[in-house]
């Protein structure tokens, strides 16, 4: 099974989701992430996952064209307030909206928002992924 997480910049939410899902369910599926306007992996995404022993230091921000061309069983968009990327391939599309923590300019608040977003995405993956992997 192949699952793709998408957000606009592929710098925060989709990177968090890919790292979390791979850590929790990597033996049951292959997980990828991409964005419609890729930038770079946000250092705070790396930091908050390191805090829970998940290493994404080797990840890079990528567009759909940059990831292996596979048939995806699910494409999950994570945008809340922005226009989500569109995936044109044949797949089951799901939308899990999360606010983008990368927009916070205060460094202390940014860390808090990244941790909160990490924890919310983790809860969603824990509750929903087992259902997706058994279908």
């Amino acid at each position: 099974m192949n699952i793709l997480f998408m957000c606009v910049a592929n710098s925060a939410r989709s990177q968090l989701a890919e790292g979390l899902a791979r850590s929790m369910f990597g033996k049951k599926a292959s997980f990828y992430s991409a964005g419609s306007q890729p930038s770079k992996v946000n250092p705070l995404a790396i930091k908050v996952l390191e805090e829970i022993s998940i290493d994404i230091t080797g990840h890079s921000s990528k567009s759909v064209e940059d990831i292996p061309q596979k048939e995806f069983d699910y494409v999950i968009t994570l945008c809340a307030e922005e226009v989500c990327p569109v995936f044109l391939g044949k797949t089951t599309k799901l939308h899990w909206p999360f606010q983008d923590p990368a927009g916070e300019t205060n460094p202390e608040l940014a860390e808090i928002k990244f941790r909160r977003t990490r924890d919310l995405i983790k809860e969603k993956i824990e509750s929903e992924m087992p259902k997706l992997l058994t279908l």
Side-chain angles (χ1 to χ4, degrees):
M1 180 168 290
N2 296 304
I3 298 174
L4 173 64
F5 293 102
M6 293 184 73
C7 66
V8 176
N10 188 222
S11 66
R13 294 163 292 184
S14 55
Q15 292 287 344
L16 292 168
E18 178 186 1
L20 288 161
R22 191 174 282 159
S23 172
M24 293 187 283
F25 296 101
K27 294 183 192 253
K28 297 184 177 190
S30 295
F31 297 96
Y32 303 87
S33 68
S36 55
Q37 298 171 9
S39 60
K40 65 179 185 138
V41 179
N42 190 300
L44 288 176
I46 294 169
K47 180 179 181 175
V48 300
L49 285 181
E50 280 178 350
E51 292 172 355
I52 60 171
S53 302
I54 298 173
D55 181 9
I56 63 165
T57 55
H59 285 204
S60 62
S61 181
K62 22 193 190 315
S63 72
V64 173
E65 292 81 29
D66 297 330
I67 59 175
Q69 295 303 305
K70 299 190 176 283
E71 289 193 19
F72 289 100
D73 298 282
Y74 297 96
V75 171
I76 302 170
T77 53
L78 303 165
C79 308
E81 65 280 349
E82 330 81 329
V83 175
C84 280
V86 176
F87 183 83
L88 299 176
K90 184 177 178 183
T91 185
T92 300
K93 296 173 184 145
L94 302 172
H95 183 62
W96 298 351
F98 294 97
Q99 295 294 317
D100 187 0
E104 179 58 56
T105 56
N106 177 308
E108 291 172 10
L109 288 177
E111 278 195 43
I112 291 168
K113 287 185 176 184
F114 266 86
R115 282 187 193 100
R116 191 168 100 229
T117 301
R118 174 201 63 199
D119 294 344
L120 291 170
I121 292 173
K122 184 176 186 278
E123 288 173 15
K124 186 72 168 177
I125 289 171
E126 286 173 336
S127 70
E128 298 299 318
M129 198 58 64
K131 300 172 204 170
L132 301 181
L133 297 175
T134 58
L135 295 178

